[in-house]
Amino acid sequence: MSDFIHWPAALLTPGEILPNPVPFTRSGGRTINGIERGTRTDRGFWHIAMVDVVLHETAQRRTWNAIRTALGGRAGLLVIPVWSFDTAPYISGQTEPDIYVPHSDQTPFSDGTLYRQGSISINTVENVPIGATTIKLQLLHAEPDLAGIRFSYRHALYETGPAVSISGSVWEVSIFPAVRAPIPAGSELEVNLPTCLVHLEDDRGMDISLNAIQITERSLSFVEATDYWSDLAAGLIT
């Protein structure tokens, strides 16, 4: 998979994030009283807005400038964090921090850092093909309720619907959107801080200003990079 630009979650944190699905509904004709009938399709995409990103420190402004220069407008690809602690299935019922652990021999990486492990652990049960609208999830360490949560796999973002079936620790749930790329059986999903591959919604979406107190709050909007997933599925990129 290509190397993408990543939004720095700790440095450029919004006051509010709005991750919302945009369904695609097909017209299904009109009912007997003339009201148009809507038919659900497997299409749809994410629209995500970040509100009130504070730019005050030099590092924040330089990072913002570097990201917008690298993106070059709507054409650029960006991985953004989608904070989901409001719906994440923490086993304690409260927001939990990530866990950091050493190698099996109790040593860290060469630079002294440790492995990051999310406090939530959920895996896929079986291979999930492109276009699937349901998925079977294995609870390893999570609250035993997987309806209405968000997760990602390789920066494709998904949201679960009601359970289709429950068998012990295995939940089969509907998801939005349809699966973007194959997910192998046994894959660990990112539930603690899901991510989404996006484009800026507008070429000038990262315009900023400078004022006397050097504090600026900016809001910006993104749309899911469905063109990337389409090209990947067609074999145009690897």
Side-chain angles (χ1 to χ4, degrees), residues 94-175:
Q94 299 178 338
T95 303
E96 300 171 4
D98 290 337
I99 302 167
Y100 292 89
V101 297
H103 293 285
S104 57
D105 62 359
Q106 301 305 304
T107 59
F109 287 104
S110 58
D111 62 357
T113 59
L114 302 174
Y115 280 111
R116 170 189 171 270
Q117 290 184 351
S119 58
I120 301 168
S121 185
I122 298 173
N123 284 10
T124 53
V125 174
E126 55 193 18
N127 293 331
V128 188
I130 294 174
T133 55
T134 62
I135 189 171
K136 288 186 177 180
L137 304 175
Q138 173 78 56
L139 277 150
L140 299 178
H141 187 82
E143 177 191 3
D145 185 353
L146 300 185
I149 70 168
R150 286 189 289 271
F151 66 87
S152 62
Y153 181 74
R154 293 193 171 184
H155 311 310
L157 178 66
Y158 303 101
E159 184 173 84
T160 68
V164 176
S165 65
I166 304 172
S167 178
S169 61
V170 175
W171 281 58
E172 182 179 9
V173 289
S174 58
I175 56 173

Side-chain angles (χ1 to χ4, degrees), residues 30-88:
R30 296 187 177 275
T31 62
I32 194 170
N33 62 358
I35 298 176
E36 185 176 68
R37 185 195 307 272
T39 303
R40 181 177 180 176
T41 72
D42 294 339
R43 300 178 183 179
F45 61 93
W46 286 100
H47 181 277
I48 302 172
M50 290 186 185
V51 179
D52 293 340
V53 180
V54 176
L55 302 175
H56 176 50
E57 299 175 359
T58 299
Q60 292 172 321
R61 287 184 173 272
R62 286 181 175 176
T63 301
W64 180 283
N65 291 347
I67 290 173
R68 71 174 178 179
T69 297
L71 288 177
R74 292 182 295 124
L77 290 167
L78 176 68
V79 173
I80 63 171
V82 183
W83 290 268
S84 300
F85 50 81
D86 58 332
T87 56

Side-chain angles (χ1 to χ4, degrees), residues 174-185:
S174 58
I175 56 173
F176 176 94
V179 170
R180 300 311 196 195
I183 306 176

